[in-house]
Amino acid sequence: MEKLNRTLSEQTEYLIKALENVLSAKENIYSSLTFAYGEEQGDHIFTERYEGHFNNLIDTLKMGIGESMEVNMSMTDFNLY
């Protein structure tokens, strides 16, 4: 597989960092719920109260990352294809 290095814009970098933080928060909340309430009940609480909100935020951040990268790539003279 060919390795491709690109420099990210500051905006894209912030969005990626935000995504990393959200994924970490999602895991921490899940872990704390399953620790406190047991696997089955903790999973149920997480699914009912948190999962949908996290998934919406994750999707929004991923779209923002893609849009940011698209805008930044369109500002270059590189032939991407």
Side-chain angles (χ1 to χ4, degrees), residues 8 17 25 46 51 54 61 71 78:
L8 298 175
K17 186 63 176 170
F46 180 81
E51 189 170 40
F54 273 111
L61 287 169
V71 167
F78 296 120

Side-chain angles (χ1 to χ4, degrees), residues 6 73 75-81:
R6 295 225 185 255
M73 283 192 256
M75 293 182 201
T76 65
D77 293 327
F78 296 120
N79 183 1
L80 300 176
Y81 301 103

Side-chain angles (χ1 to χ4, degrees), residues 1-6:
M1 179 188 321
E2 182 181 341
K3 184 175 180 178
L4 179 64
N5 293 318
R6 295 225 185 255

Side-chain angles (χ1 to χ4, degrees), residues 15-69:
L15 291 167
I16 290 171
K17 186 63 176 170
L19 179 59
E20 290 172 346
N21 290 334
V22 168
L23 292 171
S24 178
K26 181 180 178 181
E27 179 62 33
N28 289 339
I29 289 172
Y30 183 83
S31 294
S32 99
L33 289 170
T34 56
F35 177 77
Y37 298 104
E39 188 73 30
E40 187 175 322
Q41 184 66 20
D43 183 69
H44 177 73
I45 293 169
F46 180 81
T47 301
E48 290 292 316
R49 297 185 186 169
Y50 296 96
E51 189 170 40
H53 297 294
F54 273 111
N55 289 341
N56 288 339
L57 181 54
I58 289 167
D59 288 344
T60 300
L61 287 169
K62 290 191 310 189
M63 286 178 55
I65 291 167
E67 290 170 354
S68 178
M69 292 179 72

